[in-house]
Amino acid sequence: MSGLCGMVLALLLAPLVARAQLSDEMVRIGVLTDLSGPYSDWAGPGSVVAARMAVEDHGGRVLGRPVEVAGGDHQNKPDVGTALARRWIDLDRIDMIIDMPNSSVALAVHQVGRERNRIIINTGAATSDLTGRQCSPVGFHWVSDSYALSTGTTRAVMRQGGRSWYFLTVDYEGGYALERASESVVRADGGRVLGHARHPLNSGDFSSFLLQAQASRAQVVALANAGTDTINAIKQAAEFGLTRQGQRLIGMFININDVKALGLAAAQGVVATEGWYWDRDEESRAFASRFAERHRGNMPSQYQAGIYSAVRHYLKAIEAAGTDEAMAVAARMRALPVNDMFTRGGRVREDGRHVHDMYLVEAKKPEESQGPWDLYRILSTIPADQAFRPVNEGNCPLVRP
C-alpha cells in the first residue's frame, strides 16, 4: 500500500518538479533590434514578427509555461543597448536576448550576457569576434558573419578578374571586420588593395568617399557597410558613373531589402553572399508567405528567417535540458542539430557559431524578374565547412587546442 501511495505522490508532484526547473512563471525572450534606423528593414519590427511566429509554431509554451516575446530599440548605440539589456535581465526577467544588428551593440550586449548568465543569440551583427576572442559560453552567432559574408563574395569576384580593390567602410567594428576578412582574401590570392575610406554610420552624402574610390582606379569598389548606407552609396555611385567607367560595385552586407529598395535597374549584377533566400525551396516559400501576411507583404530577410530558426532551437534546447538555466540550455543548443526551414544539417560549434550552407547570389536583371520580390538568382551553394572560419582559427578560449 505504501508503494502505491508513493507512486501516486510522485505523479502528483511531477508537474511541480517540471515547473520548478524554470526560473520564473514564463520564459521571456527579448528582441533587441533597430526599430527605426538604417537596419530596420531587414531586422527591426520584422525580427519581432519572426520571433513570435517561432514561439507560436512551438506551441506557445515550453515545459508547461507560456513564452513571451518583447521588442526593444538599441538605437545603434552600445550604451543604450547594454542599459536596456541589463534592465530586461535584472527587472523584467528576460531569459534570452536575440538579434542586435550593429556589431558594436552586439559585442557590448554579448558581455552583459556573460556577466548575467543569460543566453545571447546574435543574428543581425556581422563581427566574427563574437565567436572569436570575445566568445562566450552563453553566446551564439546564428546567420552569417563578416568572414562568411566577405570571403565568399571576394573569392567569387576575384575569380571573375577583379584583382585591384578599394574599400568604402562604415566607421565601426562591423565594417572593419568585413574589410579585414575581404582584404585578407585579396592579398592571399595575389590581388592588390589600393585604398580605404571610412564613413560615419547613416551617411547621407557619399560624394567625397566615392570620388576617392573613383580616383584610385580600382577594378572593384567594395562596400563594407549595410542598410541605408549601402543603398545610398550604390545610388550615388551610379550618379558618379563608377560602373560606366568600368569599376564594379560589390555589396559585402547587402540584403534582399536593400535590393528591393534600390530596384533591379540599379542593383542588377550585384553579387553577394546570403545565408537564406525566401525563394530557395517549397519550405522557405511557405514560411515567407506566412511572414508576409503578418509584415505588410514583405518577404523575410535572411536575418529575420534566422531569428525564427534560433528561437525554435532555443526552445527545443530548454525542452531537452528540462530547465531554462543558461549554461544547461547552452550545452543543449550545442548538442542538438539544426533542421528547420532555415537549414538542414546545421550545427552549433563549441565557439557558439551556427554553421550551415551559404549561398552566392546575384541580383537579377529587371526583365528576368517575375514579381516584386523575385530579386535573386542563386549562383552556387557554399558548403558549411567552407563558408565559415575554421573553429581553430578564431582564438576562442572555449575551443580546445
Side-chain angles (χ1 to χ4, degrees), residues 17 19 32-33 61 78 119 177-178 188 200 216 226 281 298 300 357:
V17 172
R19 290 180 180 181
L32 185 57
T33 190
R61 304 176 74 83
I119 297 287
L178 289 169
S216 75
D281 55 35
N298 295 313
D357 292 346

Side-chain angles (χ1 to χ4, degrees), residues 22 24-31 48 50-70 93-96 98 310-312 314-316 318-319 324:
L22 291 179
D24 200 358
E25 292 299 309
M26 63 173 59
V27 170
R28 296 179 174 90
I29 296 170
V31 181
V48 180
R52 288 178 174 153
M53 288 177 66
V55 170
E56 292 170 14
D57 288 353
H58 191 79
R61 304 176 74 83
V62 63
L63 295 181
R65 294 295 192 182
V67 182
E68 180 181 84
V69 174
R93 299 184 179 183
I94 291 287
D95 298 290
M96 184 269 275
I98 194 167
V311 170
R312 290 297 305 270
Y314 169 70
L315 296 176
K316 290 174 183 176
I318 292 177
E319 298 277 9
D324 63 354

Side-chain angles (χ1 to χ4, degrees), residues 320-343:
T323 176
D324 63 354
E325 193 281 320
M327 290 295 287
V329 174
R332 290 293 184 170
M333 289 180 68
R334 287 176 168 87
L336 294 172
V338 184
N339 291 301
D340 54 25
M341 68 83 204
F342 184 83
T343 190

